[in-house]
Amino acid sequence: MLTPPRTVVRREAGLYALERALQRRGFRHVAGADEAGRGACAGPLVAAAVVLPEGRRGEIDGLADSKLLTPASRERIHDEVVERALAYAVVVVPAEEVDARGLHVCNLAAMRRALASLAVRPEYVLTDGFGVDGLGAPGLAVWKGDRVAACVAAASVLAKVTRDRIMVDLDAEHPGYGFAEHKGYITAEHTAALRERGPCREHRYSYVNVATVSGLDGRPPRSRRPLGASRDEPMGRSGAVGGTVGVALGEQPRPPAPVGEDVVMEGGVR
């Protein structure tokens, strides 16, 4: 497999510098992958992968790390990425899957599946923070990649917007927790609702705060999710296990490459 010659990419060159450097070396289809929801204690983990077009068509006004954008800007950029991308894929991992398999395992599996599901086969892959092996293409894990690589930023927006929309729907299914506001992350309001109501099926029982409130904190993380509760009711001390990794189309970590003033890119592992 070909790998690009050693290339120095200067940070001041902007969000598109990594992709443009790779494209100049013959890697036309550069995919970016990122996730949303690692830190949430409720709701799914969502991963996305994006291949942007070369040249001006691939430059999206206002594109940035999804965490730095307003909700309105994220929605606009999401729709523009979907319209312009050569390929994109989104993978949704339900909370029970995170409990059953573990967060990090699910994170890598979801990014791998999103990348493997792209209609255009990537010739090079950029990921945010964690390297993803087994893709049949060279790749680079970039520290804070959603702030320095356009395709990773685009993936972060797709993942974030998709997850936020899911959490708004879950708020209607499970009222009283404030999912539409805090999106399942740990806030004072969410913590108070957990203490008052107990967890619902969409909470992650492998997270200490949820396990503690449910009374299951003395059990090993992978066995904390209780069995037998209805999907429509708060679980309290009982619940259900199930779910698979699903794909919506339009899938051992290695240390990330730190981004300082300059980044040195070379061929990554498969």
Side-chain angles (χ1 to χ4, degrees), residues 35-42 160 163-164 167 179 182-188 190-191:
E35 52 70 32
R38 278 181 62 91
C41 67
K160 173 66 173 169
R163 188 177 186 281
D164 283 357
M167 295 309 296
F179 288 156
H182 53 65
K183 308 301 189 293
Y185 288 90
I186 303 169
T187 64
H190 192 182
T191 298

Side-chain angles (χ1 to χ4, degrees), residues 177 199-201 203 205 225-226 229-230 233-240:
Y177 292 101
C200 74
R201 190 177 188 278
H203 282 95
Y205 279 74
R225 180 168 284 268
S230 165
E233 298 295 333
M235 290 204 301
R237 289 178 169 78
S238 62

Side-chain angles (χ1 to χ4, degrees), residues 33-35 67 111 126-130 141-146 152:
D34 200 5
E35 52 70 32
K67 296 184 289 296
M111 287 200 291
L126 299 173
T127 54
D128 182 31
F130 299 101
V142 183
W143 180 250
K144 294 191 180 296
D146 45 9
V152 179

Side-chain angles (χ1 to χ4, degrees), residues 119-245:
V120 173
R121 183 176 179 179
E123 296 171 3
Y124 202 93
V125 175
L126 299 173
T127 54
D128 182 31
F130 299 101
V132 181
D133 296 332
L135 299 174
L140 183 69
V142 183
W143 180 250
K144 294 191 180 296
D146 45 9
R147 300 190 184 190
V148 296
C151 57
V152 179
S156 79
V157 171
L158 293 197
K160 173 66 173 169
V161 170
T162 299
R163 188 177 186 281
D164 283 357
R165 292 173 178 176
I166 290 171
M167 295 309 296
V168 170
D169 291 340
L170 289 178
D171 185 68
E173 293 180 28
H174 303 279
Y177 292 101
F179 288 156
E181 287 73 40
H182 53 65
K183 308 301 189 293
Y185 288 90
I186 303 169
T187 64
E189 292 76 15
H190 192 182
T191 298
L194 269 172
R195 289 172 177 167
E196 178 183 351
R197 303 172 61 85
C200 74
R201 190 177 188 278
E202 298 300 333
H203 282 95
R204 301 177 187 175
Y205 279 74
S206 54
Y207 281 47
V208 172
N209 66 317
V210 178
T212 300
V213 171
S214 68
L216 300 172
D217 54 312
R219 298 173 59 184
R222 304 262 177 108
S223 65
R224 282 177 181 159
R225 180 168 284 268
L227 299 172
S230 165
R231 187 175 180 86
D232 300 322
E233 298 295 333
M235 290 204 301
R237 289 178 169 78
S238 62
V241 175
T244 58
V245 179

Side-chain angles (χ1 to χ4, degrees), residues 104 108 112 131-133 252-255:
H104 190 66
L108 294 183
R112 185 178 295 112
V132 181
D133 296 332
Q252 303 297 329
R254 59 183 185 269

